[in-house]
Structure formats: C-alpha cells, structure tokens
C-alpha cells in the first residue's frame, strides 16, 4: 500500500520562518538569541525546503512503475536531494529566503554552478517529474497541446519518435523535456545532463522524463527503450501538460495575436 497523499499545491513547498518566538518549541534552529524578557527569537531568516509527495499513491502507477521503484526513487533519492539541500542552506545564509525556482536559477550562476545547484535542481526536477505522470496516463494529448505539437513537430507520431530518440541517445544520466521556448515561440524537445534543468535558460517545461538509472532499472533493467515506451503509452500526464501549456500561453503567444493593435 502506498503511504503518500495528494498534494494539490502547484508551487514548490517553501517554509519561510521569520518569527521563531512561537515555533521555537517545535523547531530546532541554531543561532537563536534570547531577548531581555526571556522570549526566544531569531537573528536571521531561515528557509527550508520540504519533500513534496507525488500527487498519487506510491502504488498508483503499477504495473508500469512499481511501488518499490517509487519508494526508493521518491522515498530515498528525492528525499536525499531535499536533505542535502537543507544541510547546505544551513551553511550559506546568502541563499536563505529564495523560492525553489529562484534557488535553481541563482545557484546555476550562469553556467558556473554553486555547490547547492545539483541538490536544488534535482528537487525541482523530481517535483516536476512526479506531476508529469498520472495513473491511467499515456495515449495522446488533446485540444491545444495536440494542435501545438502538430504545428511544431508535423504530427504526434513524429513528436513521439523525436522524444524517444532524445531519451535513447542521452549519454549517462539526465532528463528529456518538452519545453516551450519563449523566444522561438514554439515547443521543442531538449535533453539535459545530470541535474541541469531547462528552467535555467528560462524555458517553460511541459513534460519531463527522468533518464537516471534509478528511475527505470528496478522495473526495466537496461531496457531504456521499453521504459520510454511505457512512459508514452501508460504514464505521461497530458492533463498536466494541458494545464502547463495554458500557463505558458499567458507568457508566450504561440499563435497569431488575437487582440487588434490600434
Ligand atoms: Fe530521479
């Protein structure tokens, strides 16, 4: 049986604690000082990032992605990225107070990543990946997502071939993404190595596929083609893609302008 719950929040969980006088009993935080009246307060602002649960139970993607894979991938790997990031943030007060999105961009540091980047990006990437899948997923997108894919890739079949090819030619560990490119005003497939995420280039991700071995080896061994095929046939959430496209279109005009300019 799975042991997670539904988390409806689309934004990354971000706990910003500015006043410890009430919370000091439940939170163990360093560098607290005592005011003359005896109450405790903080001399700094602390921000901690939490482990978000996938939006379904851990057995909900069976038989395509096993509960055991989710338990290890989410419960151990993803958790380690979160714990590692929080440990790093304890030692670097300059990075306190950023949202996770901001932290990823700031620590990427224009291609000269700070030590915190890998953990921050992997937390963001995994939050995004869990929501890129759903029970009963797969098949084909509909409406605007399908229209945009047909416009930018010629056909859904062509898109699927290109996405699969990108996944199978990715060397080592990394990610495959369907993104909206802001400047080109179109969908593109890109692949990134290790923790790198298209967020750092200001692309708007629509779908991602984790191509680290920990994502597929327990269920598919080294058969990456089968894993990608199952993702496309049975796991990818075109519902979430539709919601993300709607949000993307509030930033990028993917069609002809509909509002006349005087
Ligand atoms: Fe992963």
């Amino acid at each position: 049986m799975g042991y997670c719950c539904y988390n409806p929040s689309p934004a990354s969980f971000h706990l910003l604690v500015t006043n410890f006088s009430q919370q000091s009993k439940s939170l163990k935080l360093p560098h607290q000082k005592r005011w003359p009246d005896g109450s405790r307060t903080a001399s700094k602002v602390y921000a901690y990032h939490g482990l978000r649960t996938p939006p379904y139970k851990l057995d909900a993607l069976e038989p395509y992605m096993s509960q055991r894979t989710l338990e290890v991938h989410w419960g151990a790997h993803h958790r380690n990225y979160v714990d590692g990031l929080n440990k790093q943030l304890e030692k670097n007060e300059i990075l306190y107070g950023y949202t996770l999105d901001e932290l990823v961009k700031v620590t990427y540091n224009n291609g000269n990543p700070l030590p915190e980047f890998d953990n921050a990006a992997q937390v963001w990437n995994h939050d995004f990946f869990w929501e890129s899948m759903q029970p009963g997923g797969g098949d084909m997108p509909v409406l605007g997502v399908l229209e945009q894919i047909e416009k930018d890739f010629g056909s859904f079949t062509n898109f699927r071939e290109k996405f699969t090819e990108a996944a199978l030619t990715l060397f080592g560990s990394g990610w495959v993404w369907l993104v909206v490119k802001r400047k080109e005003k179109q969908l593109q497939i890109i692949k990134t190595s290790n923790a790198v995420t298209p967020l750092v280039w200001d692309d708007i991700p629509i779908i991602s596929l984790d191509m680290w071995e920990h994502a597929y080896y327990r269920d598919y061994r080294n058969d990456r083609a089968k894993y990608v095929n199952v993702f496309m046939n049975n796991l990818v959430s075109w519902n979430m893609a539709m919601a993300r496209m709607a949000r993307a279109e509030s930033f990028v005009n993917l069609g002809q302008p509909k509002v006349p300019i005087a």
Side-chain angles (χ1 to χ4, degrees):
M1 195 175 96
Y3 51 80
C4 72
C5 53
Y6 176 65
N7 178 357
S9 170
S12 62
F13 176 72
H14 181 241
L15 176 62
L16 182 66
V17 181
T18 54
N19 181 354
F20 296 151
S21 59
Q22 298 300 315
Q23 288 122 330
S24 59
K25 286 177 186 168
S26 56
L27 288 174
K28 273 191 167 181
L29 295 162
H31 306 302
Q32 289 182 329
K33 65 182 179 184
R34 195 176 284 275
W35 290 101
D37 66 0
S39 67
R40 282 180 182 277
T41 187
S43 57
K44 296 174 183 175
V45 174
Y46 293 86
Y48 291 114
H49 297 269
L51 176 66
R52 275 171 59 189
T53 53
Y56 36 74
K57 290 186 174 180
L58 298 191
D59 61 357
L61 302 181
E62 296 262 15
Y64 308 110
M65 189 173 282
S66 66
Q67 177 178 343
R68 188 62 191 143
T69 287
L70 267 288
E71 285 171 354
V72 175
H73 192 176
W74 172 75
H77 291 282
H78 188 169
R79 186 185 301 275
N80 284 341
Y81 297 131
V82 172
D83 291 346
L85 175 63
N86 287 332
K87 279 193 185 121
Q88 288 175 308
L89 292 179
E90 282 175 15
K91 296 174 191 159
N92 190 350
E93 62 187 58
I94 290 170
L95 296 173
Y96 288 144
Y98 284 108
T99 66
L100 187 57
D101 294 44
E102 290 167 344
L103 199 55
V104 168
K105 291 177 185 176
V106 166
T107 57
Y108 183 64
N109 194 30
N110 291 312
N112 296 304
L114 307 182
E116 294 83 358
F117 173 75
D118 284 340
N119 280 325
Q122 283 294 74
V123 174
W124 193 96
N125 289 345
H126 282 87
D127 287 344
F128 191 87
F129 175 56
W130 304 131
E131 295 187 349
S132 293
M133 298 184 290
Q134 66 171 79
D139 202 9
M140 280 182 69
V142 294
L143 303 172
V145 176
L146 181 60
E147 284 170 20
Q148 195 63 39
I149 283 176
E150 288 174 339
K151 183 179 167 195
D152 294 333
F153 297 96
S155 66
F156 179 73
T157 305
N158 197 31
F159 154 75
R160 190 179 153 139
E161 278 174 13
K162 282 191 157 48
F163 192 94
T164 303
E165 186 190 345
L168 299 184
T169 56
L170 192 148
F171 183 77
S173 300
W175 299 81
V176 181
W177 308 82
L178 175 66
V179 301
V180 171
K181 301 290 277 188
R182 289 179 194 257
K183 200 173 158 193
E184 294 82 353
K185 299 183 189 295
Q186 63 174 203
L187 287 168
Q188 285 185 15
I189 294 163
I190 61 170
K191 46 188 176 180
T192 58
S193 289
N194 299 321
V196 177
T197 170
L199 210 60
V200 300
W201 302 302
D202 215 19
D203 296 339
I204 306 175
I206 304 298
I207 288 295
S208 73
L209 177 58
D210 189 339
M211 291 304 295
W212 285 59
E213 230 175 52
H214 63 222
Y216 60 83
Y217 201 80
R218 188 174 299 273
D219 294 328
Y220 299 102
R221 297 296 157 185
N222 60 350
D223 194 346
R224 286 157 68 108
K226 193 171 181 188
Y227 168 62
V228 178
N229 213 30
V230 164
F231 176 78
M232 276 295 168
N233 286 341
N234 307 101
L235 293 174
V236 61
S237 175
W238 291 119
N239 290 341
M240 181 53 84
M242 200 147 60
R244 288 167 173 164
M245 278 290 287
R247 181 178 172 276
E249 285 185 88
S250 69
F251 299 108
V252 183
N253 191 335
L254 294 168
Q256 296 300 317
K258 294 188 176 82
V259 180
I261 298 166

